[in-house]
Amino acid sequence: MSVLRRAKTWEISDSEESDAETKPDLNRDEGSQIVTVSADFIEYQSSDHKCKTLPSSAKESESCQTSTLSPPRPDGCGTPSPARKRRTKEEIEADRQTARERKEARERQRAARAQEKEERRQEQQRRREAAENLKRLRPENCLKCLTVCIDPALLQQDGSDILLDTLATFEWRIGIESQQLPRSIAWTRDLPQGDDGKGSVEEEHVVLVLCLTDFMDVVISVKKMLDSEGEEMGVGSFLSPLLECLNRDSKKVVTLLVTDSEPDYRTDARGVHLPDETLQSKLGMEDLDIEEVLVYLQLCKNISLVFLDGWQEVTNHVCAVTKALSKRPFKLLTERAELPFCVDGSWASGFRVERDGSGLIQVWSKQIQQLNRVSPAVASTVTAAYPSPQLLLQAYQSLGSEEDRKGLLSGLLVKSGGKERRIGPEISARVYRCFTAQNPQLVLD
């Protein structure tokens, strides 16, 4: 029979120490909690055998842990995990097709965004280049690209230093080189890099400086050529290279600057210029012959003729042509528009017409105001009665007599400055003639 003894002192062997160290691990439940056993529940049956009795709470925890970790029962009382459904080949292929379509859609969107970005970049690049070209074509910048090419034969004349000093003062580029026409002045303009593969282009305008004696030779040569029915053989030394240059390039615009080295021949005792009498006396030709030569040069050969007193006037003419050539590219650019006279801006007194038709009534009112002595108040009254030109024309066609048509608008009241007045028969008849007349040369007033 077992005897329960309470010992005051305990003697623990090595095996019991090892059991004591491992027992807490065996008493852990699912929540990693340690079950401790009180000494009151230990019953010693004998000195050789020990028996440990656990409380009811520890047993319940151990049973719960055992039931949780135990596999499902073969009789089906347990709860088995749901079986995974296997997909068919069609479903797998459909999923792959859907994934490919999504990938292609993403790639298309990415390509569209990249293309849109590239288009925006190209548009910005075009706008930047257009702005740079416009800036380069402005007269103040284009003037820096022009070079005044002077033939060395001109520098041998007295007074040519005035031209060189003036061009140097303006800081314009000067080129002294032999030209196709002796004693001529030409212009070249530098092109931007990449334009037609050329570095510079020669302008069409050429100025030929001749003294009065050389011009006499030209006049005589032209007169002989006209008398021989246009035969150009045997012409003078100055006219021959000029005609060859014009035949080679028909777009050339040549201007003859005729200077008189002897001013006394150009003035009388009172200092009045008499170029025609001087030419007649020197050439020994009648006025009709001289005019015939000038008409032939200007109309048939596109050669202009200017009489100048000296090199100061020649210099002024060269400077004026240089400034005109600097403004030419910008003017050509602005005239490329379909209607260059329709200028944008509020100062142009125009109205913008939207897609929905708003603004047409203002244009119709502005059209009536173009007539002489038609105020904005009168135009507003007419447009209020007839909101479009078509309605006004229909009103004219509905009337039987000419007098009724002319006086159609005369009875309309115009309110301006707190006063009322009628349009009157004069303005009414003028509007009628403007919209119904077939003669473009008809005077409305």
Side-chain angles (χ1 to χ4, degrees):
M1 184 175 181
S2 61
V3 179
L4 180 61
R5 298 179 181 178
R6 186 180 301 273
K8 296 181 180 180
T9 59
W10 294 84
E11 292 181 1
I12 302 176
S13 63
D14 296 336
S15 61
E16 290 177 349
E17 289 179 359
S18 61
D19 293 340
E21 291 175 358
T22 58
K23 281 180 181 179
D25 296 332
L26 298 176
N27 295 329
R28 296 180 183 268
D29 59 356
E30 260 184 351
S32 299
Q33 296 178 354
I34 299 175
V35 180
T36 58
V37 180
S38 176
D40 295 336
F41 291 89
I42 299 176
E43 180 181 1
Y44 292 91
Q45 296 180 354
S46 63
S47 59
D48 297 333
H49 301 282
K50 295 187 293 292
C51 181
K52 179 171 66 178
T53 305
L54 299 177
S56 59
S57 60
K59 292 181 180 180
E60 292 177 0
S61 176
E62 185 178 359
S63 63
C64 292
Q65 182 177 3
T66 304
S67 63
T68 303
L69 298 178
S70 61
R73 300 176 182 178
D75 55 358
C77 298
T79 305
S81 60
R84 185 176 181 181
K85 184 179 180 181
R86 176 175 292 182
R87 297 184 302 170
T88 61
K89 293 183 178 180
E90 291 77 5
E91 294 176 349
I92 296 175
E93 187 64 26
D95 293 343
R96 291 178 180 176
Q97 183 66 21
T98 303
R100 284 195 297 267
E101 291 178 356
R102 291 178 180 177
K103 183 178 180 180
E104 292 176 359
R106 289 194 299 268
E107 291 178 354
R108 286 194 299 267
Q109 292 178 359
R110 191 181 300 108
R113 287 194 297 267
Q115 183 178 2
E116 184 179 358
K117 184 178 180 180
E118 181 66 19
E119 291 177 356
R120 287 198 303 267
R121 189 189 65 80
Q122 294 179 359
E123 181 66 21
Q124 292 177 358
Q125 182 68 18
R126 286 194 295 267
R127 290 181 180 179
R128 191 180 301 109
E129 292 177 356
E132 292 177 357
N133 293 334
L134 182 62
K135 183 179 180 180
R136 185 173 57 252
L137 293 179
R138 291 188 179 278
E140 60 272 11
N141 295 327
C142 187
L143 193 59
K144 301 176 183 179
C145 301
L146 287 175
T147 302
V148 183
C149 302
I150 304 174
D151 190 79
L154 284 177
L155 302 180
Q156 300 176 3
Q157 299 182 10
D158 296 336
S160 59
D161 54 342
I162 299 176
L163 176 61
L164 296 178
D165 295 341
T166 304
L167 296 180
T169 303
F170 289 144
E171 297 182 355
W172 293 347
R173 295 193 301 182
I174 305 173
I176 301 176
E177 54 187 6
S178 299
Q179 303 297 319
Q180 296 180 359
L181 296 176
R183 300 182 185 182
S184 65
I185 301 175
W187 288 265
T188 59
R189 179 167 52 88
D190 295 341
L191 294 177
Q193 295 181 357
D195 286 3
D196 299 334
K198 299 179 180 179
S200 62
V201 62
E202 186 176 353
E203 297 289 345
E204 301 173 355
H205 292 266
V206 178
V207 171
L208 184 60
V209 183
L210 300 177
C211 62
L212 193 57
T213 306
D214 299 331
F215 178 69
M216 291 169 56
D217 183 31
V218 173
V219 172
I220 295 174
S221 301
V222 172
K223 184 61 178 175
K224 291 180 180 180
M225 186 175 58
L226 293 178
D227 294 340
S228 62
E229 298 181 357
E231 183 66 29
E232 297 183 0
M233 300 299 295
V235 295
S237 59
F238 284 97
L239 186 61
S240 178
L242 180 58
L243 296 179
E244 291 179 0
C245 179
L246 294 177
N247 293 333
R248 187 166 50 251
D249 189 358
S250 60
K251 295 182 179 181
K252 286 289 184 181
V253 179
V254 181
T255 303
L256 295 180
L257 302 182
V258 181
T259 61
D260 191 0
S261 58
E262 299 178 0
D264 295 338
Y265 290 100
R266 300 293 303 277
T267 59
D268 59 1
R270 297 173 297 175
V272 180
H273 294 280
L274 301 173
D276 293 338
E277 294 181 3
T278 304
L279 287 174
Q280 181 181 0
S281 61
K282 285 191 174 186
L283 299 176
M285 302 173 63
E286 297 180 357
D287 294 342
L288 183 60
D289 296 334
I290 298 176
E291 291 178 0
E292 183 181 1
V293 171
L294 298 180
V295 168
Y296 173 79
L297 292 176
Q298 186 170 4
L299 296 183
C300 299
K301 299 300 181 180
N302 196 21
I303 300 176
S304 302
L305 185 64
V306 180
F307 293 96
L308 301 175
D309 285 339
W311 271 95
Q312 182 60 50
E313 294 188 2
V314 172
T315 301
N316 296 338
H317 183 85
V318 171
C319 294
V321 174
T322 304
K323 293 180 180 179
L325 291 177
S326 66
K327 298 177 182 178
R328 184 181 180 185
F330 188 78
K331 289 184 177 181
L332 291 177
L333 182 63
T334 56
E335 290 176 359
R336 288 180 183 176
E338 184 177 358
L339 299 175
F341 53 86
C342 296
V343 186
D344 295 335
S346 59
W347 59 272
S349 299
F351 293 95
R352 182 180 180 85
V353 179
E354 303 295 341
R355 293 181 179 271
D356 58 352
S358 58
L360 287 173
I361 190 68
Q362 288 84 359
V363 176
W364 170 225
S365 177
K366 206 69 176 179
Q367 183 178 1
I368 299 177
Q369 293 181 41
Q370 293 178 353
L371 299 175
N372 191 20
R373 297 189 302 277
V374 175
S375 62
V378 174
S380 300
T381 302
V382 175
T383 55
Y386 303 96
S388 68
Q390 187 66 27
L391 295 177
L392 181 59
L393 293 177
Q394 292 176 1
Y396 284 142
Q397 294 174 0
S398 62
L399 299 178
S401 62
E402 188 77 10
E403 295 297 329
D404 293 342
R405 296 172 184 171
K406 290 183 179 180
L408 176 64
L409 306 177
S410 59
L412 297 179
L413 295 177
V414 180
K415 297 180 180 180
S416 61
K419 299 181 181 179
E420 292 185 357
R421 62 180 180 87
R422 298 184 183 276
I423 291 181
E426 181 182 356
I427 296 179
S428 178
R430 188 144 31 96
V431 173
Y432 170 72
R433 288 194 297 269
C434 176
F435 286 95
T436 59
Q438 301 295 330
N439 182 15
Q441 305 297 332
L442 179 65
V443 180
L444 298 179
D445 291 341

